[in-house]
Amino acid sequence: MGYKVAIAGATGNVGREMLSILSERGFDATEVVPLASRRSMGVEVSYGNRTLKVKALENHDFADTDLCLMSAGSAVSKEWSPKIAAKGCVVIDNSSCWRYDPDVPLIVPEVNADAVTGFKKKNIIANPNCSTAQLVVALKPLHDRATIKRVVVSTYQSVSGAGKEAMDELFTQARAIFVAETPEPKKFPKRIAFNVIPQVDVFMEDGSTKEEWKMVAETKKMLDQAIELVATCVRVPVFIGHSEAVNVEFEKPLSVEEAREVLRTAPGVLVVDKREPGGYITPFEAVGEDATYVSRIRDDKTVKNGLAFWCVSDNLRKGAALNTVQIAEILVNRKLLSPKKKAA
Ligand SMILES: NC(=O)c1ccc[n+]([C@@H]2O[C@H](COP(=O)([O-])OP(=O)(O)OC[C@H]3O[C@@H](n4cnc5c(N)ncnc54)[C@H](OP(=O)(O)O)[C@@H]3O)[C@@H](O)[C@H]2O)c1
């Protein structure tokens, strides 16, 4: 057995992380094909200790490819995912293009792995938004124990969530400011270096942003339609790692001690919560790690059955590439995907 896997968007932040995670986790791939735009043809990317040359997505024939891990943005996914899927290649997509389609499962393995079987309708599986992925990993075990009524979340999102150009913008702006220049914002609506921006993605009619709307819609789709959620999404001058301040209101009582115990044994969660200076996780420490870290667990006494906590994760890993590879592993482990080419 062994699968032919294409990575569409292999030169991007998420695509490069997918290549390293596939290799780290020993995914059963007989061949890995890195794809990007025509601009990147011939660019070299690392896959474990090997170097692979990038090919153009539009030139690749998916007829004998089993799986396409897609992270090339919504427009590319809208055009290409159905064509790729029609060739019998299962697409796991990172963009927001398919997430709200009722015929496409939206999956975080620790939360709703069983829903993956729905992929057969379109041969497409969606990966959630990075902020939602880490949030639902932490909320799921708490919801199972005490039933969540309402969530209030404020995000502190790193620039890597907006792609490689956004990371370059933070770097060049910070450097310019140190030599007393006044950098012009390009990718972000205002200066990001030494600043915070209360806007992630475009504005909606009701005054919220698309990122805030995504957190509501995706939490409901994956966890429970009955959960009420309000988000304020903020971009901060951090390269990698999203943080969230979360307040949860439950139907049933849940003590801080019980919450801590539930989270300690939950898949994908690591509790680091010492009530002393530095006894919590910051995004810098989460970089390159797989866990969703939960710290600062405490009572929220302003509501009945309230809990507050701090949640941090590497947005390029659990928020994107790791989650995608975990979904691919479910397909393999549950025998939902057979390689087209049988091993000789
Ligand atoms: N970053 C995160 O935390 C995160 C989390 C969840 C989901 N996502 C989603 O994942 C996707 C990729 O994000 P990213 O951060 O990796 O972006 P990125 O660093 O800007 O990379 C974009 C990738 O898409 C490729 N691409 C662009 N246009 C293309 C085309 N016409 N044909 C083929 N390939 C094309 C680029 O190739 P070239 O180098 O050739 O231009 C590059 O490999 C986005 O949909 C994003 O919303 C990101």
Side-chain angles (χ1 to χ4, degrees):
M1 294 275 274
Y3 298 84
K4 182 168 177 178
V5 184
I7 312 287
T11 53
N13 278 338
V14 175
R16 286 178 193 270
E17 205 68 44
M18 281 174 178
L19 284 161
S20 43
I21 292 173
L22 280 175
S23 161
E24 272 169 33
R25 293 172 75 96
F27 187 83
D28 187 9
T30 43
E31 192 180 346
V32 171
V33 188
L35 304 170
S37 75
R38 290 180 68 84
R39 297 179 291 274
S40 300
M41 277 167 73
V43 166
E44 292 186 338
V45 289
S46 301
Y47 168 61
N49 54 13
R50 290 171 56 197
T51 301
L52 306 177
K53 278 206 165 52
V54 172
K55 297 177 181 163
L57 168 67
E58 63 195 61
N59 294 343
H60 184 69
D61 181 358
F62 284 87
D64 67 349
T65 305
D66 299 297
L67 201 53
C68 176
L69 311 185
M70 173 82 96
S71 68
S74 274
V76 176
S77 181
K78 191 173 181 190
E79 181 187 349
W80 282 94
S81 294
K83 293 183 194 168
I84 297 168
K87 295 260 183 179
C89 174
V90 177
V91 177
I92 308 177
D93 181 46
N94 264 280
S95 79
S96 57
C97 182
W98 305 98
R99 288 178 194 157
Y100 319 108
D101 184 324
D103 291 339
V104 173
L106 176 66
I107 303 291
V108 167
E110 293 86 347
V111 176
N112 63 340
D114 292 346
V116 83
T117 46
F119 82 92
K120 286 176 182 158
K121 288 185 189 146
K122 282 201 166 144
N123 250 6
I124 301 174
I125 303 168
N127 209 70
N129 170 265
C130 36
S131 305
T132 315
Q134 70 184 69
L135 180 68
V136 292
V137 167
L139 291 183
K140 165 74 175 163
L142 298 172
H143 186 53
D144 287 348
R145 173 63 73 95
T147 313
I148 295 172
K149 273 169 72 176
R150 178 170 181 258
V151 180
V152 181
V153 54
S154 299
T155 70
Y156 304 72
Q157 297 181 224
S158 66
V159 293
S160 58
K164 57 191 176 184
E165 285 171 18
M167 293 181 85
D168 291 345
E169 182 150 318
L170 172 58
F171 180 78
T172 49
Q173 283 188 0
R175 194 175 50 184
I177 289 161
F178 274 119
V179 293
E181 287 171 3
T182 312
E184 278 303 307
K186 287 189 197 128
K187 181 91 185 167
F188 293 111
K190 295 209 179 199
R191 189 173 107 176
I192 184 63
F194 307 103
N195 201 8
V196 295
I197 302 174
Q199 182 195 344
V200 180
D201 212 331
V202 296
F203 274 90
M204 311 281 287
E205 252 178 34
D206 67 355
S208 63
T209 63
K210 186 87 183 280
E211 186 85 349
E212 291 158 358
W213 176 85
K214 285 176 199 165
M215 291 192 77
V216 176
E218 296 176 22
T219 301
K220 282 178 180 283
K221 181 165 176 177
M222 288 186 288
L223 199 51
D224 193 333
Q225 287 292 338
I227 293 175
E228 297 290 355
L229 186 144
V230 60
T232 303
C233 293
V234 181
R235 190 73 71 188
V236 296
V238 166
F239 281 107
I240 298 174
H242 286 1
S243 308
E244 298 174 343
V246 190
N247 289 68
V248 189
E249 192 180 341
F250 297 97
E251 295 275 357
K252 301 172 206 156
L254 182 75
S255 70
V256 167
E257 292 66 36
E258 279 175 304
R260 192 173 279 132
E261 212 34 58
V262 164
L263 288 164
R264 265 209 188 104
T265 51
V269 178
L270 263 180
V271 175
V272 178
D273 191 20
K274 288 191 189 142
R275 292 176 171 180
E276 60 188 38
Y280 41 79
I281 291 292
T282 61
F284 175 68
E285 296 150 297
V287 175
E289 301 293 330
D290 289 349
T292 293
Y293 293 93
V294 178
S295 307
R296 305 282 330 274
I297 305 167
R298 61 210 190 275
D299 269 329
D300 175 356
K301 296 193 180 72
T302 63
V303 289
K304 198 178 168 202
N305 305 329
L307 188 81
F309 62 88
W310 174 249
C311 169
V312 180
S313 194
D314 181 330
N315 54 294
L316 298 178
R317 290 179 76 92
K318 187 59 199 169
L322 171 65
N323 200 67
T324 305
V325 175
Q326 286 177 307
I327 294 170
E329 288 170 348
I330 293 177
L331 293 177
V332 172
N333 294 341
R334 298 192 180 188
K335 300 192 177 11
L336 296 167
L337 185 72
S338 318
K340 288 175 182 165
K341 266 193 189 164
K342 301 282 176 236

